[in-house]
Amino acid sequence: MRDDARVDAMRETRGTLQRQGRFLTFEGGEGAGKSTQISRLKERLNAAGIEAVVTREPGGSPTAETIRELLLSGKVKPLGAEIEAVMFAAARADHVDETIRPALNAGRWVLCDRFADSTRVYQGEAGVDPAFLDRLEAVAVGGYRPDMTILIDVSPEVGLSRVAARSSSDGTPADPDRFETDTKEVHMRRRQLFLDLAAAEPARFVVVDGSAAADKVADDIWQAVCARFPLDLGHAGPAAPDPARDRIGG
Ligand code: T5A
């Protein structure tokens, strides 16, 4: 769907239907624990009677999964960071059209492993012009911005050591993907850029300390989600925390 058509579709949908679903994204560096925590949150939402769709980026729809293979194999890297940004955006546009928008419009919650913030951080860190990234994001997202973004913050040492341990223990291919092979300095700059995004949008972001045990991280995320959406989850409160002030779990 073209840019204008996507925005029109979004306006039309919002004008005629009360959108019930919530759009939650999870962000953070490699091995932060996003997939682990999405699975935990889905279980808790299901137990609370909420249907949740789990999806990921790059990917989340057949066409986007094809683009994912190209991006993570490193085959696109020689074309430069701008072209990689274009391809992440192309995958995102299809993902929104085919998976995210239909789920939200059907009243389901969407739990998405990475979204547009990852482009801002990874391709932004690689030097792509922020104005160009803004335009790509507008085209790809078409108004479907997250209601809440959970940034799972861990040091690169912790995250990459988890990825390495997983590879050696569960048969996951030991070869790191195109982005895992970047230097420690690059991983550290990405971590800071995620924290900067969170500080700039405290109403959307919650920052969770991902270095704790997975059960503790899951509890912290659940507390944050209940605080942010008390009515959806049948809670009268408590009031939503101010993520700019209160770093959860830290
Ligand atoms: N990218 C992506 C861009 O450059 N631009 C973009 O726009 C987008 C969307 C995607 C790559 O593409 C880049 C970013 C990425 O480099 P991917 O394979 O999807 O690649 O990579 P990740 O999203 O980073 O996925 P990972 O699986 O590596 O990390 P997760 O999901 O954060 O971590 P998870 O849950 O799989 O856990 C990793 C290991 O740690 C353990 C788990 O059991 C697992 O073994 N673990 C813990 N261990 C101890 N304590 C805890 N609290 C733990 N939590 C999890």
Side-chain angles (χ1 to χ4, degrees):
M1 191 181 291
R2 302 274 85 190
D3 185 13
D4 291 347
R6 183 174 294 108
V7 173
D8 286 347
M10 182 266 296
R11 286 200 185 113
E12 186 185 329
T13 300
R14 291 217 168 131
T16 55
L17 288 174
Q18 182 68 37
R19 197 184 94 185
Q20 301 290 335
R22 300 286 186 181
F23 182 21
L24 276 64
T25 58
F26 286 69
E27 297 282 3
E30 268 70 21
K34 299 177 296 300
S35 312
T36 303
Q37 294 304 327
I38 285 174
S39 159
R40 301 284 187 102
L41 180 58
K42 178 182 163 67
E43 284 174 18
R44 292 198 187 200
L45 288 170
N46 288 164
I50 291 177
E51 197 179 339
V53 172
V54 170
T55 188
R56 68 171 181 183
E57 291 211 348
S61 62
T63 299
E65 288 289 333
T66 302
I67 298 173
R68 175 189 175 93
E69 286 175 27
L70 285 171
L71 283 163
L72 297 196
S73 70
K75 285 179 183 151
V76 185
K77 184 178 180 183
L79 302 180
E82 281 193 345
I83 298 302
E84 285 187 311
V86 168
M87 294 200 51
F88 277 112
R92 183 163 302 127
D94 191 67
H95 185 208
V96 169
D97 283 349
E98 297 300 321
T99 304
I100 294 173
R101 183 171 57 229
L104 292 173
N105 288 346
R108 300 187 183 95
W109 286 38
V110 173
L111 308 181
C112 187
D113 192 338
R114 297 190 181 278
F115 195 61
D117 295 307
S118 280
T119 304
R120 294 193 206 180
V121 166
Y122 282 74
Q123 282 62 59
E125 190 283 329
V128 181
D129 178 11
F132 181 66
L133 292 179
D134 286 348
R135 181 68 185 141
L136 282 178
E137 184 174 318
V139 171
V141 168
Y144 278 80
R145 296 181 188 278
D147 296 306
M148 180 179 190
T149 297
I150 295 157
L151 172 57
I152 303 182
D153 179 50
V154 295
S155 68
E157 290 87 350
V158 168
L160 292 172
S161 69
R162 286 179 185 168
V163 172
R166 176 181 58 192
S167 297
S168 59
S169 69
D170 71 0
T172 305
D175 290 343
D177 73 32
R178 176 254 176 276
F179 295 95
E180 289 167 2
T181 53
D182 289 321
T183 64
K184 183 181 166 195
E185 288 68 31
V186 169
H187 287 289
M188 287 172 64
R189 282 199 295 275
R190 289 176 187 151
R191 180 190 193 188
Q192 188 57 51
L193 286 169
F194 273 126
L195 291 169
D196 291 348
L197 287 179
E201 284 191 71
R204 173 164 70 90
F205 274 91
V206 168
V207 183
V208 175
D209 179 3
S211 62
D215 286 348
K216 165 81 168 82
V217 181
D219 286 346
D220 290 340
I221 290 173
W222 181 241
Q223 181 192 346
V225 170
C226 290
R228 190 63 62 90
F229 305 110
L231 299 180
D232 305 67
L233 293 160
H235 295 260
D242 178 359
R245 201 186 56 235
D246 305 322
R247 180 190 161 90
I248 293 175

